[in-house]
Amino acid sequence: MSKKVIIIGGGIAGLTTGCYLQKSGFDTEIFESQATPGGLCTSWKRGEYTVDGCLHWLVGSSPDDPLYHLWKELIPIDRIRFYYYEEFFRVRDESGKEIIAYTNLDRLQKELLEKAPGDKKRIHEFVKGVRKLENFPMRFDKAPELATNLDKLRDGINYFPYFSLLIRYSRMRIADFAGRCKNPLLQKFFHYSFAPEMPMLFIMMTFSWLDKRVAGYPIGGSLEFSRLFEKKYTELGGKIHYNARVEEILTENTGKRSRAGGIRLENGTEHHADITVSAADGYSTIFKMLGGRYADKRVHRYFNKFSVFPSFIQVSLGINKDLRGLPSTVAFPLDKPFQVDPEKQIDNLYYRIINFDPTLAPEGKTLVSCMVHTYNYKYWQDLRESDYPRYKREKKRVADFVTDQLDRELKGIKDKIEMTDVCTPATIIRYTGNWKGSFEGWMVTRETGFNSLPKQLPHLDDFYMAGHWVQPGGGIPAVFYSGRNLAQVLVKRYGFREFQ
Ligand SMILES: Cc1cc2nc3c(=O)[nH]c(=O)nc-3n(C[C@H](O)[C@H](O)[C@H](O)COP(=O)(O)OP(=O)(O)OC[C@H]3O[C@@H](n4cnc5c(N)ncnc54)[C@H](O)[C@@H]3O)c2cc1C
């Protein structure tokens, strides 16, 4: 007897859960509020250009990484062309001095020592940690919920040589490490690597993946990548309903507990199932679709105390000029601070010339994008709702500022701009529903740790969650194994065949 599973959300987490459940004989349907798959992992057409809204790099792009072999279970990763950065980004200070974040660790070490010789001790400490993590035996094959005592013992033995490193750098914030460096440019280098409140371990892991060349950028961009999952899911017999926004998760009382029995869509239709999975935004799932009825103290603590990744404003420009050969990602100082919104002022700007993906712009033309993080999602959301003409003017004001800065930086591109696209926190919320317009869900901090949060809610049976609201740190690999892990748990719990 098969079991019917409804999955809310056709992002990477929902699609992955759906694929693995189909493989094991469940009968699944995905309900996605938008018209395309991928959720945050998306791109959109603007004239001749494709604006990319997500992927900068994908961990597991090479067979030397264990994740590659899991991607292969669902998508033809061996047929994706990956671009490997020689330099990840560069930061420049007011005097014009730069640090280049080479992806090759030997080159990076040389660069850092040359530019910040007074911080030799810190640089050696950083490089030593990155090098050690290159051999870290990361295991993704089995859901932690299903780990046996033997698995735990084996992990304990394998991880033992790394314990002190993992503990030290998962407790130390990037800002703390940067603060211990004397050289201001080196401090800026660490600040620009990731959000300063994240653990230092994150940046060390990233540089270890970059050095090993197992984290490339997939040519074709984010929507193309998401479509590979959509294709696999439908080939496996899954059904996706697009433009299908779920308003409520249906529950019924079964004595002291309740069970989830399906969903009600915005258009009023009801769909029933044996199991309901939400791979959509965590806050909307728990407090809107379930009306907050299954949120205990622990769940409230997450939403009151945990930090989320910020939202952002992205200005993308389609430029009728070949910008090949220029450094692709640069953070540079502004002459004077710029007020992005009432809470966010910037004194540096970061731009990305996507001159390594020929599919996003026609021959001889280039897509350039600038991203500014902000936690002030409410300002943008309220403005869009209350005063749409002013919202549009504000978008234009930010776009004009970025255009002026890039015109100086890239030497006369203003008259070659053919396309301008601005996406704000209101756009992220409108298209993906992510709480506070966050681009990656829960941030990994000392409170969250790196482990997954429970995928079930108290007193509610036959209901599960997947995605970056149960897997702190987010990112495509994390939501992929969150969906894969959940499928393993369901296979075991409901007695289905294990997937290959
Ligand atoms: C600018 C940016 C850059 C990034 N860069 C990278 C990167 O380089 N590498 C990397 O690994 N990760 C990156 N990420 C992070 C990554 O994209 C996310 O962590 C991941 O895509 C989240 O997947 P998800 O399936 O958990 O959630 P989502 O992508 O948010 O999917 C949830 C889905 O649920 C749908 N939904 C929501 N509410 C409802 C409802 N009521 N009814 C029906 N459907 C609903 C949404 O429309 C959406 O499709 C980036 C993200 C952004 C925004």
Side-chain angles (χ1 to χ4, degrees):
M1 279 284 283
S2 186
K3 280 214 183 274
K4 174 84 190 238
V5 184
I6 282 180
I7 299 168
I8 308 166
I12 299 298
L15 289 164
T16 302
T17 311
C19 285
Y20 283 114
L21 290 180
Q22 283 295 132
K23 275 178 173 235
S24 288
F26 287 84
D27 169 20
T28 73
E29 285 184 48
I30 293 178
F31 290 81
E32 164 55 51
S33 59
Q34 297 305 315
T36 48
L40 287 165
C41 187
T42 196
S43 359
W44 51 96
K45 288 298 272 183
R46 285 286 178 268
E48 295 181 297
Y49 296 87
T50 302
V51 175
D52 202 89
C54 182
L55 278 169
H56 292 54
W57 78 93
L58 181 80
V59 180
S61 58
S62 136
D64 296 336
D65 191 86
L67 249 182
Y68 176 90
H69 305 282
L70 298 191
W71 291 127
K72 239 182 146 185
E73 293 175 346
L74 297 190
I75 57 168
I77 189 127
D78 48 341
R79 294 213 292 275
I80 300 177
R81 263 191 314 136
F82 283 97
Y83 172 79
Y84 290 95
Y85 304 98
E86 291 303 323
E87 53 177 83
F88 196 36
F89 61 87
R90 46 176 82 188
V91 280
R92 194 190 318 143
D93 69 10
E94 291 71 12
S95 70
K97 275 197 229 127
E98 275 186 342
I99 286 185
I100 302 179
Y102 290 111
T103 52
N104 174 288
L105 195 56
D106 293 333
R107 247 179 124 185
L108 177 65
Q109 181 174 18
K110 190 164 171 278
E111 169 78 358
L112 297 182
L113 287 171
E114 252 170 52
K115 302 291 168 65
D119 284 310
K120 201 168 157 189
K121 198 168 153 229
R122 289 281 159 248
I123 295 167
H124 283 308
E125 178 188 344
F126 169 66
V127 170
K128 193 173 158 207
V130 175
R131 230 183 267 293
K132 180 145 192 182
L133 287 170
E134 292 192 355
N135 297 316
F136 183 66
M138 199 87 102
R139 229 170 45 88
F140 300 106
D141 53 328
K142 198 172 196 182
E145 292 89 338
L146 302 179
T148 59
N149 285 340
L150 190 64
D151 292 326
K152 288 179 193 159
L153 181 69
R154 200 171 19 206
D155 283 350
I157 293 169
N158 286 337
Y159 297 166
F160 182 71
Y162 300 88
F163 269 155
S164 63
L165 182 110
L166 296 179
I167 290 170
R168 179 171 165 79
Y169 295 109
S170 60
R171 289 188 181 158
M172 187 187 294
R173 296 176 318 139
I174 294 174
D176 301 332
F177 190 87
R180 290 177 195 177
C181 300
K182 290 178 235 141
N183 183 302
L185 187 56
L186 187 63
Q187 291 180 345
K188 205 167 164 176
F189 163 83
F190 285 114
H191 271 277
Y192 269 87
S193 306
F194 276 108
E197 52 276 54
M198 284 178 70
M200 195 57 198
L201 191 61
F202 228 84
I203 159 174
M204 287 177 155
M205 291 298 300
T206 302
F207 276 98
S208 77
W209 290 317
L210 293 170
D211 184 43
K212 287 198 295 178
R213 290 173 92 79
V214 298
Y217 163 86
I219 300 289
S222 302
L223 182 57
E224 282 298 301
F225 182 74
S226 295
R227 288 224 184 268
L228 297 175
F229 288 83
E230 179 201 44
K231 182 163 181 285
K232 182 69 181 183
Y233 178 63
T234 50
E235 279 170 6
L236 287 165
K239 280 191 227 82
I240 308 189
H241 305 267
Y242 287 113
N243 300 308
R245 181 179 298 278
V246 175
E247 207 157 73
E248 189 185 338
I249 295 170
L250 304 171
T251 57
E252 56 198 50
N253 281 337
T254 54
K256 280 191 182 157
R257 298 180 63 83
S258 301
R259 69 168 293 273
I263 52 165
R264 181 178 298 115
L265 295 180
E266 197 177 39
N267 66 12
T269 58
E270 289 190 2
H271 299 261
H272 298 272
D274 301 303
I275 301 163
T276 308
V277 171
S278 177
D281 167 60
Y283 183 88
S284 325
T285 299
I286 297 170
F287 295 101
K288 293 184 183 164
M289 296 180 217
L290 284 166
R293 294 188 300 282
Y294 305 95
D296 62 358
K297 258 195 193 157
R298 176 180 55 85
V299 174
H300 279 286
R301 193 172 64 84
Y302 298 162
F303 287 92
N304 291 331
K305 290 263 188 311
F306 286 2
S307 307
V308 296
F309 281 95
S311 193
F312 61 94
I313 298 166
Q314 177 173 283
V315 178
S316 302
L317 305 175
I319 302 173
N320 185 359
K321 190 173 177 184
D322 192 337
L323 296 175
R324 268 177 295 186
L326 291 181
S328 74
T329 305
V330 181
F332 66 97
L334 300 173
D335 291 342
K336 53 178 194 287
F338 176 70
Q339 200 71 35
V340 179
D341 58 42
E343 276 177 21
K344 179 76 183 186
Q345 194 180 66
I346 52 170
D347 47 20
N348 281 272
L349 195 63
Y350 145 98
Y351 65 85
R352 191 164 170 246
I353 305 178
I354 312 174
N355 47 11
F356 44 83
D357 186 344
T359 68
L360 303 188
E363 178 74 32
K365 303 185 178 186
T366 314
L367 182 79
V368 178
S369 70
C370 270
M371 204 200 242
V372 178
H373 290 164
T374 175
Y375 278 102
N376 204 1
Y377 68 98
K378 201 147 178 11
Y379 166 77
W380 292 98
Q381 202 182 13
D382 289 350
L383 192 61
R384 188 178 185 281
E385 276 164 25
S386 64
D387 189 349
Y388 190 64
R390 201 174 136 223
Y391 170 73
K392 284 188 81 171
R393 284 199 302 279
E394 276 297 279
K395 282 189 10 170
K396 184 168 182 317
R397 182 182 66 84
V398 177
D400 288 347
F401 170 78
V402 167
T403 304
D404 286 343
Q405 296 301 318
L406 290 188
D407 189 50
R408 281 171 44 200
E409 182 72 14
L410 303 175
K411 314 269 178 307
I413 45 121
K414 212 171 188 173
D415 58 340
K416 303 212 164 34
I417 295 174
E418 310 181 309
M419 181 281 299
T420 303
D421 179 82
V422 185
C423 136
T424 73
T427 321
I428 308 299
I429 294 170
R430 199 155 50 94
Y431 280 103
T432 72
N434 272 285
W435 192 45
K436 301 186 174 185
S438 170
F439 72 85
E440 217 164 286
W442 300 123
M443 200 179 270
V444 172
T445 58
R446 284 177 213 172
E447 283 99 20
T448 62
F450 282 84
N451 292 333
S452 143
L453 304 178
K455 296 183 175 74
Q456 283 201 272
L457 292 172
H459 311 298
L460 183 61
D461 295 327
D462 299 327
F463 174 75
Y464 301 85
M465 291 172 72
H468 65 191
W469 294 101
V470 285
Q471 191 62 55
I476 305 292
V479 305
F480 165 75
Y481 63 75
S482 156
R484 190 178 184 276
N485 288 349
L486 174 59
Q488 284 180 327
V489 168
L490 297 187
V491 161
K492 176 100 180 163
R493 194 156 297 168
Y494 294 90
F496 275 68
R497 66 169 183 267
E498 286 183 15
F499 50 76
Q500 302 298 314

